[in-house]
């Protein structure tokens, strides 16, 4: 004992301590008898992270799916359309990324039954080449779409057969050909013409087109080429698309990409993404609460051991490092398990949901996003466990000598720093989840506010019970209630875990309700699904009478004047085109104000009215309701996208060619239009008092109830006003509706999962403070308290804490839902009181049960045994 | 018997005054302030413990013995006055500096043993060595455990040991790296007479062999009498100090 062995002093810095072998050895040894409890900690992490990973991978897959769905709305990666035939030779030199080329020739023609008794104007679409590439066409009988493109025949809409009184297998006459009706197209053929659909569609094989003799002299033929490209990133695809566009220098060629079609799906799916992001954050923060709670309880148990180490000469850094190592290792293990579970969750949801997913989603989660989510979750969990870990520094070595509580949790700089770090991390995760910076800020602020409010509520509660507890109250009640403020109380713990948990779960459920309601509204809604186009002013009365007779609502009507753009800001269309080709020839930079050609060339159908409709919002200027003086430029309101394409702002002038009459106009306002709603919307809106004299049509909008077709109405129209065409949107709307319905399913599955992951974490948190109560109860028992008395005291405490946490959590959740309904969804809050009540009573019940379970445990054992075990 | 010897030792201090003090307490005051009212727990304590000296602190419960012990070991901050441990003024050291100083020259034995419950007996004994970065101390720890009679129980956890056994493990832990001064707060307070006897024997034997100074807080007059000096406290003050002539025969 006289000769001391050579020693190497332990490192002084935290970093050095963390990487020292002793730290890890000690962390390992220290965990030995705590495995059960530490597994609760690891499980909280695993629960939070599995939700995060599952939601993220699903979100990515679904996003992917939605992109594909948008492609299904177009049927191809690129659609090239022209009024003139597109030369075959161009397709010979297409880039190698083009995998397939489909073709379609579309025109209007009459179709009749072979006897010629009945005929009908239809939109003929002659297709070949496997179009559409991205949508499955539903037909009755099935599979006939493929047969059409190999053997010919004709496919029609159900309404047409109904109108003609024919069945599948009968013959129809189109031009010089008689074609056999192969079947009925129910859904899935994307519309190729931007403004087509004035008549029912019939489909024939492109090879049969020549034999009908119709395509030749028809001036209203559209030629389409649809391209399927090699899969690649959005950037790669758009590069290929612009290369291909370069092959068509001539005027009058239009290009369409899936992005443009996606507008039809509306904002709802963006909200789904946002919702999934919020849910992931909620799951993670719930996990964080579990982590912080479990770590807190663990360290409370280890406080004596830490004090001993300090007495034996261990530095605070070393002691801190031991538990940091423990938390870090467990966090890593929990994250690993959580990541695997999340990947499994992804697979299970994909396999279980099967058809209810919008599109095919691989059951294998994307590895990149899986690892990234797992890593992010790990960081956040470490952040959450730092808060209790920091308390180690406040354990006085003197705790070995007396059991007096040590220094209180201080608002020192390290704690504040960790809080700030946590807030930053939450913000970062919100951003990572796909929120805009503003939204992420709002979420972070909301969460921090809830946290502070609950901590404040806990303090207030302790003050109030201390203040108002009366000695006159029954002993057991008094004992239970005074547990709320006495030393070792669990008030803060309960409000911060149970209260925050209830807040998060209710809020995520509330957002889900808001979202589902909005999507259902978007999907079904009461918007129009059938337009009657080209109604002459003198036919309006008769046509609306017909609608009335068929018990169809006249939802909207608008006058429509066709016009073209003659010049913008004084510059002629021709001059613009000339300048562009000049600059291209010179290889100079593209004209900064290049306007898509079709924007300048196309025919605009404009209306006039004095106010906005429900799907429009003003984004700049004022909507003029008066025309202004006779010589002044006419104020016109432009749709903001068109204004962007034209490069005009409020105050700019343009000249419009209204069927030969030039009209000076000045842009007076810009409107944002929600095109997804299929209301009667227009690129240009004029004030009343200008266009009344111009040749015009009326546009009427009605709604065909679900399950009915427009066949009857169309037949009646034919007799009454043959020039009127019906644009039937029921099939495209049902596609969108189906997509949204599927998205709703996913939202429901995931919110269910969050609930399932969150509840056990909260129940675990309820039991975190049990040791102190067990000890006290055993003492009461040794002092002669009956089993019933102990149970009542515990029940009073736990039920009160549960009720108050639930109350505070629900109140905050109601606030959050009202705020979100108002600022995000622009809808009434639609609070689900039944659900709120269920959550409230559920929480009270759960925490009462926790109290009861505790008392059962105490009463089953002999007091002596427990006292010894707690020594 | 100790009354007789007391007289001798008073007149005849065995330790020559040249031995440097390991612990020197000057004008020590400790006051707790709670809810505005101040409670003075220790007032004006003067104490000097020389190397190898044994010293018992006795007094009624609440007289401030534990508080004094804690302050001497740097486990808490004094309100005023100073504590010099191995020549270093504790009030000038930060928490970690004091911990390092404890690691170098202080040992502890507690009333409630304070073994780390998740470590085995052997691992508990090894902690002070490991904290110094000494990884070759295992044979030494094993030898000490055998010495206190627990050679067969080295792999057992504290919960598997009786109180007396736990306290013997604590003794082994305290002496595995012989400290200059050992603080013991009622080391037999939680043990019955039969169990405490061997613990006390071992405490004094180990103490003698390693030349450690001992500061012992106890209620037990028999135990106190085995120390070379008995300091009596009452209401936060040292009221008497007597030499027994024991404990410095090293
Ligand atoms: N943290 C504290 N706050 C208030 N009073 C304390 C605190 N610690 C000790 N005391 C008081 O100091 C006095 C001395 O306590 P202590 O040193 O434990 O006495 P002893 O060990 O002699 O029984 C007691 O009256 C006790 O109430
Ligand atoms: Mg004491």
């Amino acid at each position: 004992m006289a000769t001391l062995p050579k020693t190497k002093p332990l490192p002084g810095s935290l970093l050095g301590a963390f990487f020292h072998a002793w730290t890890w050895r000690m962390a390992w040894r220290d965990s030995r008898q705590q495995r059960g409890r530490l597994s609760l900690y690891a499980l909280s992490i695993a629960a939070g992270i599995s939700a995060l990973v599952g939601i993220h991978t699903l979100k990515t897959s679904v996003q992917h799916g939605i992109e594909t769905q948008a492609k299904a709305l177009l049927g191809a990666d690129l659609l090239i359309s022209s009024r003139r035939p597109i030369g075959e030779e161009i397709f010979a030199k297409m880039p190698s990324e083009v995998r397939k080329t489909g073709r379609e020739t579309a025109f209007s023609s009459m179709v009749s039954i072979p006897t010629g008794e009945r005929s009908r104007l239809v939109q003929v679409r002659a297709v070949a080449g496997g179009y559409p590439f991205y949508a499955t066409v539903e037909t009755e009988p099935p599979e006939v779409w493929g047969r059409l493109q190999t053997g010919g025949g004709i496919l029609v809409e159900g309404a047409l057969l109904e109108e003609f009184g024919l069945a599948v297998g009968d013959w129809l006459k189109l031009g010089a050909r008689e074609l056999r009706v192969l079947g009925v197209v129910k859904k899935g053929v994307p519309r190729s013409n931007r403004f087509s659909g004035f008549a029912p569609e019939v489909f024939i094989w492109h090879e049969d087109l020549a034999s009908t003799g119709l395509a030749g002299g028809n001036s209203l033929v559209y030629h389409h080429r649809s391209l399927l490209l090699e899969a690649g990133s959005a950037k790669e695809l758009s590069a290929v698309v612009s290369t291909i566009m370069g092959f068509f220098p001539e005027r009058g060629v239009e290009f369409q990409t899936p992005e443009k079609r996606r507008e039809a799906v509306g904002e709802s799916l963006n909200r789904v993404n946002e919702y999934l992001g919020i849910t992931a954050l909620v799951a993670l923060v719930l996990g964080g609460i579990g982590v912080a709670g479990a770590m807190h309880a663990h360290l409370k148990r280890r406080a004596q051991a830490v004090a001993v180490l300090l007495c034996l000469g261990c530095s605070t850094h070393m002691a801190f490092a031991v538990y940091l190592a423990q938390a870090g290792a467990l966090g890593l293990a929990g994250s690993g398990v959580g990541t695997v579970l999340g990947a499994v969750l992804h697979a299970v949801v994909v396999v279980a949901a099967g058809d209810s997913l919008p599109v095919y989603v691989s059951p294998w989660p994307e590895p990149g996003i899986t690892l990234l989510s797992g890593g992010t979750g790990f960081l956040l969990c470490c952040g959450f466990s730092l808060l209790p870990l920091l308390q180690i520094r406040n354990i006085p070595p003197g705790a070995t000598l007396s059991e007096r509580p040590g220094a209180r949790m201080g608002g020192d700089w390290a704690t504040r720093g960790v809080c700030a770090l946590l807030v930053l991390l939450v913000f970062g995760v919100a951003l990572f989840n796909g929120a805009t910076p503003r939204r992420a800020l709002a979420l972070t602020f909301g969460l921090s506010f809830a946290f502070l409010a609950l901590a404040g509520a806990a303090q207030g509660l302790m003050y109030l019970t201390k203040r108002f507890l009366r000695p006159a109250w029954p002993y057991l009640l008094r004992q239970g209630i005074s547990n709320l403020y006495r030393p070792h109380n669990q008030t803060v713990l309960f409000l911060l875990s149970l209260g925050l948990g209830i807040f998060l779960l209710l809020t995520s459920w509330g957002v889900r309700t808001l979202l589902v309601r909005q999507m259902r509204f978007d999907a079904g809604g009461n918007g129009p699904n059938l337009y009657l186009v080209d109604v002459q002013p003198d036919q309006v009365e008769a046509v609306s009478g017909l609608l009335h007779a068929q018990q169809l609502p006249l939802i909207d009507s608008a006058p429509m004047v066709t016009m073209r753009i003659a010049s913008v800001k004084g510059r002629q269309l021709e001059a613009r085109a000339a300048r562009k080709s000049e600059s291209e020839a010179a290889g100079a930079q593209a004209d900064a104000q290049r306007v898509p050609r079709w924007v300048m060339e196309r025919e605009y159908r404009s209306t006039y009215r004095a106010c906005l409709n429900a799907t429009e919002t003003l984004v700049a200027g004022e909507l003029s309701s008066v025309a202004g003086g006779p010589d002044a430029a006419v104020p016109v309101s432009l749709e903001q996208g068109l204004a962007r394409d034209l490069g005009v702002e409020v105050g700019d002038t343009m000249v419009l060619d209204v069927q030969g009459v030039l009209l000076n106009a000045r842009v007076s306002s810009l409107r944002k239009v929600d095109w997804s709603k299929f209301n009667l919307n227009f690129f240009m809106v004029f004030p009343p008092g200008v266009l009344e004299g111009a040749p015009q049509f009326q546009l009427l909008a009605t709604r065909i109830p679900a399950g009915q077709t427009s066949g009857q109405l169309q037949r009646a129209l034919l007799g009454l006003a043959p020039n009127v065409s019906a644009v039937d949107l029921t099939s495209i709307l049902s596609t969108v509706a189906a997509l949204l319905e599927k998205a709703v399913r996913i939202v429901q599955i995931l919110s269910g999962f969050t609930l399932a992951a969150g509840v056990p974490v909260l129940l675990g948190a309820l039991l975190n403070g049990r040791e102190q109560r067990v000890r006290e109860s055993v003492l009461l028992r040794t002092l002669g308290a009956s089993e019933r008395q102990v149970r009542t005291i515990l029940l009073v405490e736990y039920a009160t804490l549960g009720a108050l946490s639930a109350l505070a959590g629900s109140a905050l959740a109601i606030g959050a839902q009202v705020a979100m309904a108002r600022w995000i969804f622009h809808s009434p809050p639609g609070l689900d009181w039944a659900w709120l009540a269920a959550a409230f009573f559920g929480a009270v019940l759960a925490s009462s049960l926790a109290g009861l379970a505790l008392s059962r445990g105490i009463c089953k054992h002999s007091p002596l045994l427990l006292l010894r075990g707690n020594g | 018997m100790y009354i007789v010897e007391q007289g001798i030792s008073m007149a005849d201090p065995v330790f020559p005054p040249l031995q440097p003090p390991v612990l020197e307490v000057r004008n020590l005051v400790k006051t707790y302030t709670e809810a505005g009212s101040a409670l003075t727990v220790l007032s004006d304590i003067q104490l000097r413990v020389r190397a190898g000296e044994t010293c018992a602190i006795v007094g009624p419960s609440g007289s401030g013995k534990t508080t004094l012990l804690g302050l001497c070991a740097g486990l808490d901050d004094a309100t005023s006055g100073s504590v010099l441990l191995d020549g270093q003024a504790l009030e000038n050291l930060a928490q970690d500096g004091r911990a390092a100083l404890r690691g170098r020259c202080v040992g502890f034995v507690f009333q409630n043993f304070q073994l780390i419950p998740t470590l085995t007996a052997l691992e508990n004994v090894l902690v002070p060595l490991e904290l110094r970065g000494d990884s070759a101390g295992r044979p030494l720890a094993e030898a000490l455990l055998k010495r206190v009679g627990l050679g067969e129980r080295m792999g057992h956890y504290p919960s598997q040991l009786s109180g007396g056994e736990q306290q013997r493990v604590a003794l082994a832990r305290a002496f595995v790296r012989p400290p200059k001064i050992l603080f013991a707060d009622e080391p037999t307070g939680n043990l019955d007479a039969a169990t405490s006897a061997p613990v006390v024997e071992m405490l004094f034997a180990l103490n003698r062999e390693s030349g450690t100074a001992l500061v012992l807080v106890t209620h037990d007059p028999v135990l106190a009498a085995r120390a070379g000096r008995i300091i009596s406290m009452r209401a936060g003050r040292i009221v008497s100090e007597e030499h027994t002539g024991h404990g410095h025969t090293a």
Side-chain angles (χ1 to χ4, degrees):
Chain A
M1 251 174 259
T3 53
L4 285 175
K6 262 214 167 322
T7 58
K8 203 169 98 236
L10 292 193
S13 72
L14 180 57
L15 205 66
F18 186 76
F19 288 110
H20 195 272
W22 178 80
T23 303
W24 291 87
R25 195 159 62 227
M26 195 63 199
W28 168 250
R29 288 171 180 168
D30 186 77
S31 73
R32 267 190 310 226
Q33 295 193 325
Q34 309 282 320
R35 299 279 152 79
R37 311 194 151 141
L38 287 173
S39 61
L40 184 67
Y41 169 83
L43 270 182
S44 300
I45 294 181
I49 289 185
S50 64
L52 184 78
V53 169
I55 288 169
H56 266 263
T57 51
L58 271 175
K59 193 177 132 189
T60 314
S61 303
V62 168
Q63 225 157 17
H64 205 81
I66 286 165
E67 232 114 79
T68 317
Q69 189 78 20
K71 286 183 182 167
L73 288 176
L74 185 65
D77 290 308
L78 179 64
L79 190 68
I80 306 163
S81 309
S82 173
R83 288 279 181 99
R84 267 167 273 166
I86 302 169
E88 266 330 301
E89 68 287 351
I90 297 176
F91 292 91
K93 47 182 196 192
M94 279 286 162
S96 60
E97 284 88 350
V98 177
R99 280 169 52 205
K100 279 188 192 170
T101 311
R103 79 184 292 185
E104 176 183 338
T105 305
F107 54 89
S108 298
S109 180
M110 297 302 281
V111 69
S112 57
I113 54 177
T115 53
E117 277 166 24
R118 287 178 150 195
S119 64
R120 178 76 173 89
L121 186 74
V122 292
Q123 180 79 8
V124 181
R125 297 175 67 182
V127 294
Y131 177 81
F133 305 121
Y134 287 113
T136 8
V137 178
E138 271 180 44
T139 53
E140 184 60 48
E143 315 280 317
V144 290
W145 182 257
R147 241 196 296 149
L148 178 80
Q149 294 195 30
T150 50
I154 187 165
L155 286 173
V156 297
E157 286 180 15
L160 187 79
L161 280 192
E162 216 177 288
E163 190 181 324
F164 282 173
L166 294 180
V168 172
D170 291 339
W171 294 81
L172 277 177
K173 189 156 190 275
L174 181 70
R177 268 296 288 270
E178 278 187 18
L179 295 161
R180 193 186 174 87
V181 178
L182 290 179
V184 171
V185 173
K186 286 164 74 184
K187 150 160 124 186
V189 191
R191 310 204 142 233
S192 45
N193 284 4
R194 189 180 284 269
F195 300 100
S196 79
F198 296 97
E201 293 181 324
V202 303
F203 299 89
I204 62 169
W205 189 22
H206 210 275
E207 306 280 298
D208 290 341
L209 183 59
S211 59
T212 61
L214 290 172
N218 198 327
S219 62
L220 280 172
V221 176
Y222 281 91
H223 301 270
H224 304 287
R225 288 306 180 117
S226 47
L227 301 187
L228 173 69
L229 303 181
E230 205 69 61
S233 69
K235 220 166 136 193
E236 287 162 359
L237 281 181
S238 79
V240 176
V241 165
S242 45
T243 315
I244 294 171
M245 285 177 173
F247 286 121
F248 301 92
E250 72 271 25
R251 292 175 52 182
V253 179
E254 258 189 53
F255 301 95
Q256 289 184 69
T257 54
E259 285 73 57
K260 294 200 175 171
R261 287 288 163 112
R262 201 154 74 184
E263 286 169 10
V265 185
E267 270 184 34
S268 289
L269 290 175
N270 292 338
R271 293 229 178 83
V272 171
N273 272 336
E274 248 183 67
Y275 166 78
L276 291 182
I278 292 176
T279 311
L281 190 67
V282 163
L284 200 59
V285 173
L286 269 175
I289 295 172
V291 164
M295 201 20 93
H296 174 76
H298 173 59
L299 292 175
K300 219 170 156 179
R301 243 172 264 126
R302 316 300 303 133
Q304 284 287 310
V306 171
V308 172
L309 285 178
L310 295 176
C311 278
L312 296 179
C314 178
S315 68
T316 323
H317 278 154
M318 282 308 275
F320 182 73
V322 168
Y323 291 94
L324 187 65
Q326 215 171 57
L330 279 166
L332 206 57
S335 307
V337 171
T339 307
V340 172
L341 277 181
V344 171
L345 171 75
H346 175 273
V348 167
V349 169
V350 169
V351 170
D355 286 347
S356 52
L357 291 171
V359 279
Y360 172 75
V361 173
S362 162
W364 292 102
E366 236 174 78
I369 205 79
T370 309
L371 289 180
L372 197 61
S373 315
T376 315
F378 171 67
L379 271 185
L380 198 68
C381 285
C382 284
F384 270 103
S385 57
L386 267 181
L387 271 185
L389 271 173
L390 280 177
Q391 301 309 308
I392 287 186
R393 300 165 316 143
N394 296 335
I395 297 176
T400 44
L401 294 175
S402 65
E403 279 204 26
R404 296 181 190 97
R408 287 288 306 142
M409 166 174 181
D412 66 327
W413 285 108
T415 311
R416 272 176 227 157
V418 167
C419 288
L421 182 81
L422 273 181
V423 169
L424 271 180
L425 268 174
V426 167
F427 179 71
V429 172
L431 275 184
F432 169 59
N433 284 347
T436 59
R438 248 184 84 174
R439 188 59 50 76
L441 206 62
L443 280 174
T444 314
F445 178 79
L447 272 174
S448 313
F449 175 79
F451 186 86
L452 291 178
L454 286 167
Q459 297 299 334
L461 184 65
M462 287 180 341
Y463 172 78
L464 287 179
T465 42
K466 200 167 176 171
R467 180 95 205 277
F468 290 105
L469 194 70
R470 290 281 169 267
W473 294 4
Y475 171 73
L476 295 178
L477 181 67
R478 207 150 29 94
Q479 193 67 18
I481 299 273
S482 64
N483 272 350
L484 301 190
Y485 65 83
R486 293 186 320 182
H488 298 296
N489 68 70
Q490 320 182 64
T491 308
V492 176
L493 183 81
F494 254 71
L495 276 160
L496 284 187
S497 55
L498 190 59
L500 201 56
I502 287 171
F503 161 70
L504 288 174
L505 288 178
L506 279 179
T507 304
S508 107
W509 197 265
V511 185
R512 169 195 178 279
T513 312
L514 286 172
L515 181 68
V516 168
R517 199 176 50 191
Q518 180 151 33
M519 288 202 297
R520 290 252 159 87
F521 178 79
D522 284 359
N526 307 305
N529 59 9
L530 187 88
Y531 297 151
L532 299 176
V533 193
D534 296 350
V535 183
Q536 303 283 358
D538 58 355
Q539 293 172 320
V540 171
E541 208 141 317
V543 172
S544 43
L546 174 66
L547 288 180
H548 188 73
Q550 298 211 354
Q551 292 177 333
L552 295 170
L554 175 58
I555 293 176
D556 201 0
S557 76
M560 202 175 75
V561 178
T562 55
M563 56 184 70
R564 285 172 185 279
I565 297 174
S567 74
V568 173
K569 290 196 272 188
R571 269 186 284 166
Q572 231 60 45
L573 170 65
E574 307 308 326
R576 189 182 281 267
R579 232 182 54 192
K580 194 155 94 190
S581 58
E582 240 168 58
S583 69
E584 271 167 7
Q589 278 205 323
D591 184 9
Q593 279 207 322
R594 180 182 288 187
V595 175
R597 217 168 281 158
W598 67 271
V599 174
M600 291 298 282
E601 282 179 5
R602 62 164 289 201
E603 202 174 68
Y604 288 89
R605 293 152 187 259
S606 308
T607 195
Y608 52 92
R609 51 176 146 85
C611 51
L612 296 172
N613 74 19
T615 55
E616 296 172 316
T617 37
L618 208 59
V619 291
E622 295 277 348
L623 187 77
S624 307
S625 51
V626 284
D631 297 326
V634 177
V636 59
S637 174
L638 297 189
E639 190 262 344
Q640 64 174 5
L642 175 67
R644 202 180 321 119
D645 284 346
L646 288 173
V648 297
E649 284 162 24
V650 170
D652 287 340
T653 57
M654 51 200 291
V655 179
L656 295 161
D657 177 351
V658 185
Q659 293 156 58
V661 181
L662 292 184
L663 182 71
N664 281 315
R666 180 179 50 80
V667 179
S668 68
S669 69
L670 301 182
R671 285 164 301 126
K672 181 178 177 209
V673 173
D674 182 359
W675 295 103
S676 69
K677 295 299 189 294
F678 296 104
N679 278 49
L680 295 184
N681 279 312
F682 299 87
F683 283 113
M684 298 185 207
V685 174
F686 287 84
V690 184
L691 298 175
E692 276 81 348
Q696 57 190 275
F697 295 106
Q698 199 74 17
L699 193 59
L700 304 184
T702 183
R703 181 174 183 83
I704 306 287
Q708 289 183 24
T709 66
S710 58
Q712 202 192 1
L713 177 66
Q714 296 205 25
R715 261 198 310 278
L717 268 177
L718 211 56
L720 188 72
N723 61 306
V724 172
S725 356
V727 181
D728 189 345
L729 292 173
T730 47
S731 90
I732 194 166
L733 280 175
S734 70
T735 309
V736 171
L739 174 63
L740 290 179
E741 197 49 50
K742 286 166 181 175
V744 166
R745 286 283 310 142
I746 294 179
V747 165
Q748 283 168 336
I749 290 173
L750 289 179
S751 61
F753 178 76
T754 311
L755 210 61
V759 167
V761 169
L762 290 184
L763 288 183
L766 286 190
L767 292 172
N768 273 336
R770 68 184 176 280
E771 255 150 44
Q772 187 64 30
R773 289 297 170 260
V774 166
R775 220 169 154 141
E776 288 171 4
S777 308
V778 168
L779 268 171
L780 280 174
R781 283 267 283 155
T782 52
L783 293 177
S786 73
E787 201 177 315
R788 204 186 58 81
Q789 283 171 318
V790 167
R791 196 185 316 135
T792 311
I793 291 173
L794 284 174
L795 201 60
V796 166
E797 182 191 1
Y798 276 79
T800 316
L801 279 175
L804 292 168
S805 306
L807 201 64
S810 331
L812 281 170
I814 291 173
Q817 188 164 343
V818 169
M820 279 191 289
R822 175 148 184 194
W823 285 302
I824 301 182
F825 291 92
H826 308 290
S827 68
L831 292 167
D832 188 345
W833 293 107
W835 176 249
L836 279 168
F840 177 82
F841 288 112
V844 177
L845 192 72
S847 73
S848 306
L849 283 177
L852 276 183
L854 217 57
S855 66
R856 251 179 66 87
I858 291 159
C859 299
K860 264 203 335 228
H861 296 90
S862 97
L864 191 69
L865 211 72
L866 274 160
L867 272 185
R868 263 180 67 94
N870 273 294
Chain B
M1 164 178 139
Y2 63 88
I3 299 166
V4 181
E5 281 169 351
Q6 181 188 333
I8 303 165
S9 69
M10 287 282 273
D12 176 24
V14 174
F15 266 86
L18 348 154
Q19 278 287 355
V22 257
L23 174 69
E24 194 163 359
V25 174
R26 293 189 200 129
N27 312 325
L28 194 68
V29 175
K30 178 71 183 176
T31 312
Y32 288 109
T33 323
E34 213 151 272
S37 67
L39 173 72
T40 302
V41 177
L42 292 177
S43 44
D44 200 29
I45 303 283
Q46 320 286 342
L47 179 70
R48 181 180 291 188
V49 180
R50 295 184 183 281
E53 193 184 1
T54 57
C55 162
I57 301 176
V58 295
S61 179
S63 55
K65 307 180 297 290
T66 299
T67 309
L68 175 60
L69 200 72
L71 287 176
C72 290
L75 304 185
D76 202 356
D77 289 307
T79 310
S80 71
S82 78
V83 177
L84 282 134
L85 196 57
D86 196 27
Q88 295 214 44
L90 292 184
E91 57 273 18
N92 296 339
L93 290 176
Q95 277 292 343
D96 282 348
R98 289 188 219 167
L101 182 61
R102 280 196 295 270
R104 268 202 315 279
C105 57
V106 177
F108 282 99
V109 177
F110 302 100
Q111 175 173 4
N112 47 3
F113 325 132
Q114 294 289 11
L115 297 180
I116 295 176
T118 49
L119 303 189
T120 62
L122 180 63
E123 285 164 352
N124 262 292
V125 176
L126 276 170
V127 168
L129 293 177
E130 288 175 332
L131 277 174
R132 300 189 65 199
D134 176 355
S135 47
R138 205 185 162 94
L140 183 64
E142 285 173 352
L144 255 173
L145 274 171
K146 281 188 192 124
R147 168 86 196 273
V148 297
L150 293 171
E152 308 296 308
R153 315 290 302 271
M154 292 197 265
H156 286 205
Y157 289 99
S159 57
Q160 298 167 310
L161 300 173
S162 74
E165 287 160 347
Q166 287 190 49
Q167 197 63 305
R168 282 186 272 155
V169 175
L171 281 179
R173 180 175 69 183
F175 285 101
V176 72
R177 195 185 36 71
K180 288 190 176 158
I181 183 163
L182 179 75
F183 293 104
D185 188 10
E186 313 210 13
T188 57
N190 277 5
L191 303 176
D192 56 67
T195 332
S196 47
V199 171
V200 170
E201 288 312 321
M202 281 169 206
L203 171 63
F204 279 95
L206 287 167
N207 186 60
R208 214 165 30 241
E209 283 165 30
S210 52
T212 297
L214 174 67
V215 177
L216 175 73
V217 168
T218 183
H219 273 121
D220 182 357
V222 182
L223 181 57
R226 297 192 57 162
R229 191 152 52 115
I230 300 176
I231 293 164
S232 298
M233 288 187 69
R234 210 160 300 253
R237 291 176 186 278
I238 294 180
V239 289
S240 75
E241 195 175 334
E242 42 192 321
H243 290 262
T244 61
H246 272 291
H248 25 66
T249 50

